[in-house]
């Protein structure tokens, strides 16, 4: 039985992943903003076999609560083996172009709040000498594009932070996993026209779960995004800047 | 236009969709007066799960379990949960769904709204007979617990209510105890329609699950020949756990033409009938291949091509069952537009709480036809004549074409039902049959 903390536990991808942990008999500590929704998810996970499920309502932008939240999770679960950070929003790129307040708000939610959480989590795992830190980033962080570069910036910063953390914690035997999904059919993307490249949250959850089991560092989900992004990253900037992406 | 379609791929209609994900949230009823309709997993064949130019409230995201008592087998869950998910979770604990249709990829809400039946109808009745209560969300924000004791009228209207009375957000089901995930089954070859009725009479007393497959291309003396399947849940220690293939076959693309034509049909029906050399064969099946043989080929409906196909399922009261079934099979054989899979079964006498529930004591026949346009519709109209004359009915869950007049004669309680419809709810099916 592992002890698992999930921040952003009401996310569709996180919920699907939590079911895999529950099915494996792991204990869970779920954090998101809405207590009723957390309650519905917690019930489900208990029925599916999780021996213990605790919840805490917290806004990830309330940085002052991060340390206490993590400590409470460790105390209530009696330890912590896996931390999955999943919360996020999809910024309105056009609105961000009009207002830096908007951009700042998005960077707080999608980047700074995560760096804050990682700071305290790294501390715990380093002392413990084992465990997994997994963060939902995105393929959008691999290259800046006009359609969503605020989101991309946040994810890219998280990626570099995770790289450094991985480097720091590898001696302590800690897995630091950067998760880069492509297009996933979730409430976040409800307004998009879905096509062949779209994956279901369950599929992405399966990939996250097995990347944790296999102690991976970076994972693209589904796997073909590794190749799509390799192609996109190989386009010279001179050409890329003229493309409508 | 959204990608939402029914299983038959006919008709193809344009509509918007809103995803439901939280059972405590209000319904996202649009402000502009457009009508709404719940959508489960789209395993209905025709237009009863579609709402042209309106909005679908997609309920699949309501897929949480709420409580399960392994001592009593009472399960509470949200309405978008698939029977497949329930089974994966309860079978290892010695429980089974009390009634299941021929696919496990239906939602609990969809199973209630069509009051679905299975191979054990003669024993267990319909799905609705095992629902002890559910929570119904109406467009005015009312949240009603419905059961045989509370909001009784709405309970009866919603079971088999075609999604028109509101959104079922959660339900409580009474599961069935099993000693093994296997079914001890027997398949028996029979040569005539009369033999089917004789086999049914003896089998329905001793077997929980019975159904027959008919070679619908046979004519004359061989009319109605087929294979009879009967089975019971096996005892404990029956068999070793099977290796389940992780990757299922799937039919990957939609072809512009149908693979189901006269040649393939004949080949398939012959093959199926002659596959079994012995008169009777015993075998133990894991529950999945026994109940859901078609589910092993994901997307099999796509083999019918872009024009889609039409299902036709009718039920005829016992009194007229033999004659009507013979007449229907003859009309189909004569038309030479035979069906790929033809399924025949006797329904039992159990009554459902559902006002518009489809099953009635008698025989039921289900067929599918590639959509060849006018000739297909003409044939189905001619089958309707037989069913109407015999006092039977046609299953809305599988229908895309019955006339309003036929519907109202098949389901005389439609006017009583109509009073319970949520004023903001409608469907393409309902508008069609109310014309
Ligand atoms: C291979 C196959 C075999 C089948 N075999 C059988 C069989 O043996 N017996 C049988 O009876 N049927 C059978 N069916 C039909 C199928 O069981 C029904 O059509 C079932 O209702 C489909 O459920 P769904 O979740 O896909 O719902 P949908 O098809 O999406 O919707 C069905 C109806 O339910 C309503 N609905 C959906 N969710 C809700 C909700 N939450 N609240 C209120 N209303 C809701 C919809 O408005 C619609 O009217 C079969 C279908 C297939 C594809
Ligand atoms: N969907 C995709 O295509 C896609 C692709 C690549 C990466 N991702 C990433 O995957 C992660 C999960 O997204 P999803 O697709 O599963 O979307 P989702 O279902 O919309 O989940 C997003 C979750 O973030 C939570 N959240 C937002 N702001 C928060 C805040 N300030 N404090 C606490 N929680 C907050 C929300 O919880 P509450 O509102 O309930 O509090 C919500 O449940 C995100 O990081 C996203 O960037 C998604």
């Amino acid at each position: 039985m592992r002890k698992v903390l999930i921040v952003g536990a009401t996310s569709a991808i996180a919920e699907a992943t939590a079911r895999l942990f529950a099915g494996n008999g792991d204990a869970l500590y779920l954090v998101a903003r809405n207590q009723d929704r957390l309650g519905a998810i917690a019930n489900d996970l208990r029925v599916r076999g999780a021996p213990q499920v605790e919840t805490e309502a917290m806004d990830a932008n309330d940085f002052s609560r991060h340390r206490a939240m993590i400590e409470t999770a460790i105390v209530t679960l009696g330890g912590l083996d896996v931390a999955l950070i999943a919360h996020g929003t999809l910024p309105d790129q056009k609105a961000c172009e009009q207002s830096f307040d908007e951009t700042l708000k998005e960077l707080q939610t999608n980047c700074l709040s995560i760096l804050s959480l990682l700071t305290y989590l790294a501390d715990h795992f380093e002392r413990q000498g084992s465990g997994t830190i997994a963060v939902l980033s995105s393929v959008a962080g691999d290259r800046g594009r006009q359609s969503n570069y605020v989101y991309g910036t946040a994810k890219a910063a998280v990626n570099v932070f995770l790289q450094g953390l991985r480097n720091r914690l590898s001696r302590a035997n800690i897995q630091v996993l950067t998760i880069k999904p492509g297009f996933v059919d979730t409430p976040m993307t409800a307004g998009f026209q879905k096509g062949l490249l779209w994956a279901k949250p369950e599929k992405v959850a399966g990939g996250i779960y097995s990347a944790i089991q296999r102690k991976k560092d970076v994972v693209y989900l589904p796997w073909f995004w590794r190749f799509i992004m390799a192609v996109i990253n190989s386009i010279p900037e001179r050409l890329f800047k003229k493309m409508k992406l | 236009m959204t990608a939402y379609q029914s299983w038959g791929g006919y008709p193809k209609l344009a509509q918007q969709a809103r995803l439901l994900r939280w059972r405590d949230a209000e319904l996202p009823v649009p402000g502009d007066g457009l009508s709404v309709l719940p959508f489960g997993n789209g395993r209905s064949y025709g237009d009863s799960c579609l709402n042209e130019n309106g909005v679908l409230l997609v309920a699949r995201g309501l897929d949480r379990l709420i409580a399960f008592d392994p001592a009593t087998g009472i399960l509470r869950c949200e309405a978008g949960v698939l029977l497949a998910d329930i089974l994966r979770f309860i079978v290892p604990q010695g429980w089974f769904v009390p009634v299941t249709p021929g696919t496990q990829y239906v939602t609990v809400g969809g199973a209630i709204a069509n009051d679905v039946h299975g191979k054990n109808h003669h024993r267990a009745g319909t799905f609705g007979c095992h629902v002890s209560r559910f929570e119904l969300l109406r467009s005015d924000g009312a949240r009603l617990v419905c059961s045989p004791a509370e909001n009784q009228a709405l309970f009866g209207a919603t079971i088999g209510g075609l999604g028109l009375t509101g959104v079922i957000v959660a339900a409580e089901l009474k599961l069935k105890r099993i000693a093994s995930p296997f079914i001890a089954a027997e398949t028996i070859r029979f040569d005539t329609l009369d033999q089917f009725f004789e086999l049914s009479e003896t089998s329905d007393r001793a077997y929980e699950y019975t159904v027959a497959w008919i070679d619908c291309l046979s004519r004359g003396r061989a009319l109605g020949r087929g294979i009879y399947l009967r089975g019971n849940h096996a005892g404990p220690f029956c068999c070793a756990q099977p290796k389940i293939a992780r990757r299922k076959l799937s039919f990957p693309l939609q072809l512009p033409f149908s693979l189901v034509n006269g040649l393939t049909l004949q080949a398939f029906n012959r093959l199926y009938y002659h596959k079994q050399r012995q008169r009777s064969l015993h075998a133990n099946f894991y529950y999945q291949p026994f109940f859901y043989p078609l589910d092993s080929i994901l997307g099999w409906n796509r083999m019918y091509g872009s024009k889609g196909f039409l299902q036709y399922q009718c039920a005829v009261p016992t009194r007229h069952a033999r004659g009507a079934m013979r007449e229907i099979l003859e009309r189909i054989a004569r038309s030479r537009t035979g069906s790929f899979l033809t399924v025949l079964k006797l329904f039992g006498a159990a009554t459902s709480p559902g006002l518009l529930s489809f099953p009635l004591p008698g025989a039921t026949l289900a067929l599918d036809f590639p959509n060849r346009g006018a000739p297909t519709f003409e044939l189905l109209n001619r089958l309707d004549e037989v069913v109407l004359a015999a006092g039977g009915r046609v299953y809305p869950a599988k229908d895309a074409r019955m006339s309003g007049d036929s519907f109202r004669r098949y389901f005389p309680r439609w006017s009583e039902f109509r009073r319970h419809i949520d004023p903001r709810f409608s469907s393409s099916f309902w508008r069609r049959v109310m014309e």
Side-chain angles (χ1 to χ4, degrees):
Chain A
M1 183 190 78
R2 286 169 296 188
K3 290 146 184 166
V4 183
L5 164 69
I6 304 183
V7 183
T10 49
S11 117
I13 297 173
E15 184 178 5
T17 313
R19 286 186 185 175
L20 300 176
F21 285 119
N24 186 54
D26 297 328
L28 292 134
Y29 195 91
L30 310 178
V31 178
R33 285 176 297 189
N34 187 312
Q35 185 54 54
D36 289 341
R37 294 173 179 184
L38 283 171
I41 294 175
N43 249 335
D44 172 76
L45 298 174
R46 284 185 201 109
V47 178
R48 285 175 201 267
Q52 184 187 4
V53 188
E54 309 290 341
T55 62
E56 178 174 336
M58 183 193 85
D59 190 320
N61 285 327
D62 195 349
F63 299 170
S64 66
R65 286 183 56 188
H66 288 185
R67 184 198 283 267
M69 180 276 288
I70 291 166
E71 279 167 3
T72 316
I74 293 169
V75 171
T76 16
L77 293 183
L80 188 62
D81 305 305
V82 180
L84 173 66
I85 303 181
H87 68 277
T89 49
L90 193 59
D92 178 341
Q93 173 65 31
K94 283 278 168 280
C96 289
E97 287 166 19
Q98 300 306 312
S99 137
F100 185 70
D101 281 350
E102 190 65 25
T103 302
L104 187 60
K105 196 185 81 196
E106 294 297 349
L107 290 177
Q108 289 216 335
T109 308
N110 292 299
C111 175
L112 297 180
S113 71
I114 295 166
L115 306 193
S116 162
L117 288 164
L118 287 172
T119 303
Y120 301 117
L121 287 168
D123 196 37
H124 160 77
F125 283 114
E126 190 166 42
R127 268 186 283 120
Q128 179 169 289
S130 69
T132 295
I133 297 175
V135 181
L136 268 147
S137 179
S138 166
V139 293
D142 280 15
R143 195 154 192 182
R145 291 171 299 125
Q146 59 179 311
S147 57
N148 70 345
Y149 60 83
V150 170
Y151 182 69
T153 301
K155 296 295 191 189
V158 168
N159 291 349
V160 176
F161 193 94
L162 288 171
Q163 241 171 18
L165 199 60
R166 183 178 305 120
N167 191 207
R168 169 185 150 200
L169 295 181
S170 76
R171 267 199 313 148
N173 206 21
I174 311 299
Q175 179 193 15
V176 176
L177 173 65
T178 308
I179 304 156
K180 297 183 176 181
F183 299 142
V184 194
D185 186 0
T186 72
M188 183 177 277
T189 52
F192 290 66
Q193 198 76 24
K194 310 290 187 303
L196 271 179
L197 291 176
W198 287 78
K200 291 277 167 208
E202 294 75 28
K203 171 112 187 156
V204 173
I208 295 174
Y209 191 82
S210 85
I212 291 174
Q213 304 289 76
R214 293 199 250 146
K215 298 270 174 234
K216 294 225 174 179
D217 298 320
V218 181
V219 63
Y220 285 83
L221 294 172
W223 58 272
F224 54 78
W225 281 96
R226 173 180 291 281
F227 298 96
I228 296 178
M229 294 319 292
V231 170
I232 289 182
N233 290 335
S234 71
I235 302 172
E237 189 68 10
R238 168 167 53 80
L239 297 176
F240 195 78
K241 72 179 180 194
K242 296 191 182 131
M243 296 170 74
K244 238 183 139 27
L245 286 162
Chain B
M1 167 122 187
T2 61
Y4 292 95
Q5 282 195 15
S6 66
W7 195 244
Y10 175 85
K12 291 194 170 58
L13 305 174
Q15 57 222 318
Q16 301 174 38
R18 304 276 155 84
L19 308 185
L20 310 183
R21 196 164 135 69
W22 304 104
R23 67 173 179 271
D24 61 351
E26 280 182 19
L27 289 185
V29 181
D32 49 15
L34 291 184
S35 70
V36 299
L37 181 75
F39 185 89
N41 204 34
R43 255 47 179 192
S44 299
Y45 286 83
D47 56 0
S48 66
C49 60
L50 301 177
N51 189 16
E52 188 173 26
N53 298 327
V55 177
L56 292 178
L57 302 178
V58 181
R60 257 298 275 141
L62 301 172
D63 72 338
R64 299 177 192 90
L65 305 176
I66 299 171
F68 175 61
D69 182 347
T72 59
I74 305 256
L75 173 75
R76 280 197 290 137
C77 65
E78 293 180 352
V81 174
L82 297 178
L83 295 194
D85 292 336
I86 295 179
L87 287 166
R88 200 176 309 129
F89 159 76
I90 61 171
V91 167
Q93 305 192 52
W95 294 93
F96 206 73
V97 287
V99 165
T100 175
T103 170
Q104 55 179 335
Y105 300 119
V106 302
T107 63
V108 167
I112 295 173
N114 275 324
D115 198 18
V116 300
H117 56 269
K119 297 180 176 67
N120 61 352
H121 183 273
H122 59 286
R123 287 281 183 86
T126 59
F127 195 85
C129 300
H130 307 271
V131 174
S132 35
R133 59 197 173 117
F134 52 78
E135 186 176 310
L136 189 70
L137 196 50
R138 305 266 293 183
S139 65
D140 61 5
R143 205 172 267 279
L144 305 168
V145 173
C146 304
S147 73
E150 300 156 273
N151 295 306
Q152 196 181 349
L154 209 47
F155 182 72
T158 302
I159 294 175
L162 302 169
L164 296 166
T165 60
V167 175
I168 304 163
V169 291
E172 183 177 281
L173 314 176
K174 291 172 285 188
L175 303 179
K176 172 190 168 62
R177 255 250 175 265
I178 51 170
S180 150
F182 286 86
I183 304 292
E186 186 184 5
T187 50
I188 304 163
R189 194 153 52 89
F190 59 90
D191 306 321
T192 65
L193 202 54
D194 283 334
Q195 282 180 18
F196 162 81
F197 282 96
E198 283 151 27
L199 265 171
S200 294
E201 224 149 84
T202 49
S203 305
D204 282 356
R205 261 175 270 135
Y207 292 86
E208 167 101 21
Y209 301 104
T210 64
V211 72
W213 165 85
I214 304 278
D215 172 4
C216 75
L217 295 176
S218 57
R219 302 175 69 169
R221 295 236 319 269
L223 183 86
R225 70 179 184 182
I227 306 280
Y228 197 89
L229 174 65
R230 58 191 193 185
N232 283 315
H233 288 283
F237 325 113
C238 156
C239 329
Q241 195 74 8
K243 286 207 177 67
I244 303 285
R246 272 193 41 154
R247 227 170 251 286
K248 295 195 166 179
L249 287 177
S250 86
F251 201 81
L253 43 135
Q254 177 89 269
L255 299 174
F257 53 88
S258 170
L259 284 180
V260 183
N261 54 39
L263 271 180
T264 53
L265 253 170
Q266 197 163 9
F268 182 81
N269 276 269
R270 288 264 156 80
L271 191 80
Y272 205 102
Y273 180 76
H274 289 295
K275 197 177 75 176
Q276 178 161 336
R277 305 286 283 277
Q278 303 90 325
R279 180 133 302 255
S280 144
L281 265 180
H282 288 269
N284 291 314
F285 287 91
Y286 192 57
Y287 77 90
Q288 287 171 343
F290 182 83
F291 289 105
Y292 314 115
L294 285 172
D295 283 353
S296 60
I297 312 170
L298 297 172
W300 60 265
N301 53 339
R302 296 197 191 121
M303 76 180 176
Y304 283 94
S306 55
K307 281 194 198 139
F309 65 108
L310 291 115
Q311 266 263 338
Y312 187 85
Q313 182 171 357
C314 61
V316 171
T318 310
R319 201 155 28 96
H320 298 300
R322 286 186 196 222
M325 290 301 155
R326 179 174 305 282
E327 180 62 30
I328 288 173
L329 288 174
E330 270 167 7
R331 288 187 185 203
I332 293 166
R334 251 184 279 136
S335 79
R336 292 191 179 277
T337 51
S339 120
F340 209 64
L341 268 184
T342 305
V343 173
L344 183 58
K345 166 167 180 64
L346 294 193
F347 279 149
T351 50
S352 158
L355 263 186
L356 293 190
S357 185
F358 161 69
L360 49 72
T364 183
L365 181 70
L367 311 130
D368 43 35
F369 301 96
N371 178 14
R372 298 215 180 89
T376 310
F377 288 79
E378 215 165 282
L379 170 66
L380 299 184
N381 285 340
R382 274 186 283 125
L383 303 188
D384 270 347
E385 292 164 10
V386 182
V387 179
L388 280 169
R393 51 177 78 133
V394 166
Y395 195 8
K398 302 192 169 178
D399 179 72
R401 34 68 51 195
M402 74 168 99
S403 72
D405 183 54
S406 307
F407 173 79
R408 293 187 293 266
R409 285 163 69 193
Y410 290 144
F411 296 93
R413 296 178 79 181
W414 68 273
S415 53
E416 185 185 347
F417 168 76
R418 193 160 58 160
R419 291 201 294 275
H420 300 289
I421 296 180
D422 184 305
R424 290 301 303 274
F425 281 52
S426 183
S427 69
S428 290
F429 174 87
W430 191 251
R431 290 189 291 275
R432 177 163 61 76
V433 299
M434 282 299 112
E435 254 173 22

